[in-house]
Amino acid sequence: MSLDRSPSPQRGGGWSSPGLTSPYEETNGHARARLPSPGKRHGYGEQLNGGGGAAQPGVTWGSARAKSVRVNGYPSYQSQNQGFFVRHYRKLSESLPYFAHGGQEDRYAEKEKLGRGRSGGWGGSGGGKRGWREVPRRVGLLISRRRRGVALLLLVLIGLMVWFQKPLQYLYRRTSFLGGGSKFVIILAANQGGGVMEWKGPREWAIERDSVKNKKKYVADWGYELDIVDMSTKKRYAHEWRESWEKVDVIRKAMTKFPDAEWFWWLDLNTFIMEPSYSLQSHIFSNLNAHTYRDINLYNPLHIQHPPNGTSGDANAPKYANYLDPETLSPNGDGKPDSINLIIPQDCGGFNLGSFFVKRSVWTDRLLDIWWDPVFYEQKHMEWEHKEQDALEYIYTNQPWIRPHTAFIPQRMVNAFPHGACGDDRKVPEGKGGGRGGCKTLRPDGLESNEWECGIQGIHYQESERDFVVNMAGCEWGRDCWGEMYNFRQLSNRLNRGRWERVKDWWGESAEAMAKAKEEARKRDEARGKV
């Protein structure tokens, strides 16, 4: 076949592309033109070989042009179905992050695997979750490579947060909608041991200093309010001194001083917070029903009857059952934690007001009015030895409306006593077979708790149980107040020391034990030498 206008350099015309020049043969499924014999000369072959040599077999115009294109640039046509990746290479590469700074050939060794498993965007090609998993990695690469300023700013912010950790933590815990610390106020009565008109000695000053420092550190950690009240020269009426009765009036003034607070915690001066890591929310108020009990019959050292009978104290007096509503007659009130307005512990002698909680409410206002009534003081101040404490017990016994809003809390949770106060320490169960032991090993029904310092009958401080607060109540009567305060302060520091302090103590104890062992060995050697 002859093509006069063919640009082909072949003499007979035709095309050098396979399939266009006749005749042709198929080899392995591909069309290939028949090549002339090796000895036959062609003009174009002579030109390719310098004009004088024989043409190499299989060298055509198309293959020579393709070879030239591969040397001088990128091929315009590729076989084996690779054109799809070449056409879409730019589109794929724009959606992928850069991993190296080398040439394109150094980045991907196998270009045919470039698009496998890749997502087309931030959300993935199919809208699945696999694409979103790449977001943190891509953001990190973006910041590290292109946003070094943003990364530096983040490092500065993290450093400032670490440096100002305490103030930020205090602000977080203090806010009412986050930590809730501003809802709690601790009222600390100062000058409690020395009386009203008596001067304090060095020990009394030391006790007050340690107690105040302990409370200040606790409120600084949790964002609470601290109201230190000077009880030395308070005088309500011109004709009487009402020492210790003043706490009723102090609580009312604290409610006026802190209008946003909800709970007020009264603490005597001879108290020490042993576990500053306990917050009031987690320790008590996160679950009031679980941490308190309302039925006076569960632990009743005063033998108060419920339901109440009469005001005379006679067991045979007519009962009030026909005049009281079901909520007042119930030993648990309505059972709702929101109705609790007064939380007090009980020791071996009855109510203990060395550490108790009062909630701001209309009910509390009425209670404080009756509690502060001067008629009580005028008629009962010679009969009531514990003054305002006996007055509250009298109101609870004879005023049925007090009971539905009063809850009791186990003494060891907020007001543990040292050994010697209210009898001897009965300890907690020891572990069996090398176990840890403790109150948690007792039966859930509490049948075994009567003989231990566990449950609602536990009074004395237990180091193994890590009790919250200890109260050196009555230490001024035959006991050493300063010695007890000092011992409990040292114990609290030892129990709450950090990891580095623990390592140093362990190292010191080990060195001391080794020195002691060497001394004992030396004494044994000397004894053997004398024998």
Side-chain angles (χ1 to χ4, degrees):
M1 174 178 170
S2 176
L3 296 176
D4 297 338
R5 299 179 179 275
S6 172
S8 175
Q10 298 187 17
R11 294 181 178 179
W15 298 90
S16 61
S17 300
L20 298 181
T21 303
S22 178
Y24 65 91
E25 63 180 359
E26 293 183 0
T27 304
N28 296 329
H30 298 282
R32 182 174 63 87
R34 294 180 180 179
L35 301 176
S37 60
K40 195 172 182 177
R41 294 179 177 271
H42 297 284
Y44 189 70
E46 294 174 359
Q47 294 178 4
L48 294 176
N49 291 277
Q56 296 181 2
V59 178
T60 62
W61 177 81
S63 61
R65 184 174 182 276
K67 182 177 180 181
S68 177
V69 169
R70 282 197 300 270
V71 172
N72 298 327
Y74 292 95
S76 60
Y77 174 81
Q78 293 183 2
S79 61
Q80 299 181 2
N81 198 24
Q82 295 183 4
F84 171 79
F85 296 99
V86 174
R87 289 193 301 271
H88 296 275
Y89 175 74
R90 180 176 299 277
K91 181 177 180 181
L92 292 173
S93 62
E94 288 179 352
S95 64
L96 295 175
Y98 293 99
F99 293 94
H101 294 280
Q104 192 70 16
E105 295 79 12
D106 298 335
R107 296 179 184 177
Y108 305 105
E110 299 180 20
K111 296 182 180 181
E112 69 275 6
K113 298 181 180 180
L114 180 62
R116 298 182 183 179
R118 303 283 186 177
S119 58
W122 292 103
S125 58
K129 298 181 179 179
R130 183 175 59 181
W132 292 107
R133 297 174 183 174
E134 300 292 329
V135 172
R137 179 177 60 84
R138 293 183 179 183
V139 171
L141 291 173
L142 183 65
I143 293 176
S144 62
R145 288 182 51 84
R146 300 183 179 179
R147 299 292 186 272
R148 292 184 176 87
V150 177
L152 181 61
L153 180 61
L154 290 177
L155 292 177
V156 172
L157 291 178
I158 294 174
L160 291 176
M161 292 177 64
V162 173
W163 183 265
F164 296 101
Q165 179 183 2
K166 283 291 184 179
L168 293 176
Q169 186 179 25
Y170 175 81
L171 292 176
Y172 172 81
R173 291 177 174 178
R174 179 173 174 76
T175 53
S176 58
F177 56 91
L178 292 176
S182 59
K183 296 181 180 180
F184 298 90
V185 177
I186 298 178
I187 305 175
L188 181 62
N191 199 36
Q192 185 73 9
V196 176
M197 300 297 294
E198 186 177 342
W199 290 97
K200 294 185 296 186
R203 288 177 174 268
E204 286 76 15
W205 282 112
I207 292 173
E208 182 175 350
R209 179 195 62 215
D210 290 346
S211 180
V212 171
K213 183 179 179 181
N214 174 250
K215 309 308 184 297
K216 287 183 176 181
K217 183 179 182 302
Y218 182 71
V219 298
D221 290 341
W222 293 103
Y224 305 143
E225 297 284 359
L226 178 61
D227 187 16
I228 302 176
V229 183
D230 186 9
M231 303 288 289
S232 59
T233 58
K234 285 195 172 293
K235 186 176 181 181
R236 179 69 176 182
Y237 303 106
H239 64 282
E240 62 182 354
W241 291 98
R242 299 183 68 171
E243 186 181 5
S244 81
W245 285 69
E246 294 285 345
K247 67 175 58 174
V248 181
D249 190 40
V250 168
I251 293 174
R252 184 184 295 278
K253 291 183 178 180
M255 291 183 176
T256 305
K257 185 178 180 180
F258 302 96
D260 297 331
E262 181 180 0
W263 283 96
F264 298 84
W265 183 16
W266 176 274
L267 280 176
D268 284 346
L269 186 64
N270 293 331
T271 58
F272 198 87
I273 300 176
M274 298 294 295
E275 299 296 332
S277 60
Y278 295 177
S279 67
L280 295 177
Q281 295 92 317
S282 61
H283 188 59
I284 301 173
F285 293 95
S286 60
N287 194 349
L288 272 179
N289 283 338
H291 298 148
T292 59
Y293 64 98
R294 301 198 192 186
D295 190 359
I296 188 65
N297 298 315
L298 295 179
Y299 182 62
N300 193 3
L302 295 175
H303 305 289
I304 299 175
Q305 295 185 2
H306 188 86
N309 51 2
T311 58
S312 62
D314 185 7
N316 298 322
K319 294 185 180 296
Y320 287 153
N322 297 329
Y323 308 98
L324 300 179
D325 59 277
E327 181 178 314
T328 307
L329 291 174
S330 173
N332 297 319
D334 59 1
K336 299 179 181 179
D338 295 337
S339 63
I340 298 177
N341 295 314
L342 177 63
I343 303 176
I344 54 177
Q346 292 190 93
D347 57 24
C348 58
F351 295 0
N352 189 284
L353 299 182
S355 172
F356 68 98
F357 297 88
V358 178
K359 183 181 180 181
R360 182 194 301 275
S361 64
V362 177
W363 180 92
T364 303
D365 291 337
R366 296 175 181 175
L367 173 64
L368 296 178
D369 287 339
I370 297 176
W371 198 357
W372 183 248
D373 192 345
V375 176
F376 280 160
Y377 175 79
E378 292 289 346
Q379 296 184 1
K380 295 290 187 178
H381 71 281
M382 296 298 294
E383 181 182 350
W384 289 341
E385 180 182 0
H386 299 96
K387 303 174 183 179
E388 85 291 348
Q389 181 173 306
D390 292 335
L392 182 61
E393 293 171 353
Y394 179 84
I395 295 173
Y396 182 88
T397 304
N398 298 280
Q399 298 291 334
W401 63 275
I402 299 292
R403 303 190 182 193
H405 300 275
T406 302
F408 302 98
I409 190 169
Q411 172 133 3
R412 284 183 41 230
M413 289 194 69
V414 296
N415 198 35
F417 281 178
H419 176 71
C422 273
D424 296 331
D425 188 359
R426 294 170 295 177
K427 304 296 182 182
V428 295
E430 297 181 357
K432 297 180 181 179
R436 185 174 182 180
C439 294
K440 295 182 180 179
T441 60
L442 298 176
R443 294 174 53 180
D445 53 14
L447 295 179
E448 301 177 1
S449 62
N450 293 334
E451 56 182 291
W452 304 104
E453 293 282 351
C454 297
I456 60 178
Q457 297 185 6
I459 295 177
H460 300 92
Y461 174 81
Q462 302 299 320
E463 177 183 348
S464 60
E465 297 290 318
R466 304 295 291 268
D467 290 338
F468 181 35
V469 179
V470 63
N471 183 5
M472 281 70 71
C475 62
E476 63 271 12
W477 308 104
R479 305 204 319 262
D480 184 7
C481 294
W482 162 244
E484 292 181 0
M485 177 70 75
Y486 176 80
N487 292 332
F488 280 111
R489 185 191 66 185
Q490 295 296 107
L491 178 60
S492 176
N493 293 336
R494 182 175 63 84
L495 294 176
N496 295 277
R497 64 189 187 276
R499 296 181 179 178
W500 176 241
E501 285 75 11
R502 293 177 183 271
V503 171
K504 291 192 297 184
D505 293 343
W506 172 81
W507 181 266
E509 293 174 358
S510 301
E512 184 178 356
M514 293 176 60
K516 186 176 180 181
K518 290 182 179 179
E519 183 66 19
E520 292 178 355
R522 185 183 62 81
K523 291 182 179 179
R524 288 196 301 267
D525 294 340
E526 292 180 355
R528 291 175 183 176
K530 292 181 180 179
V531 173

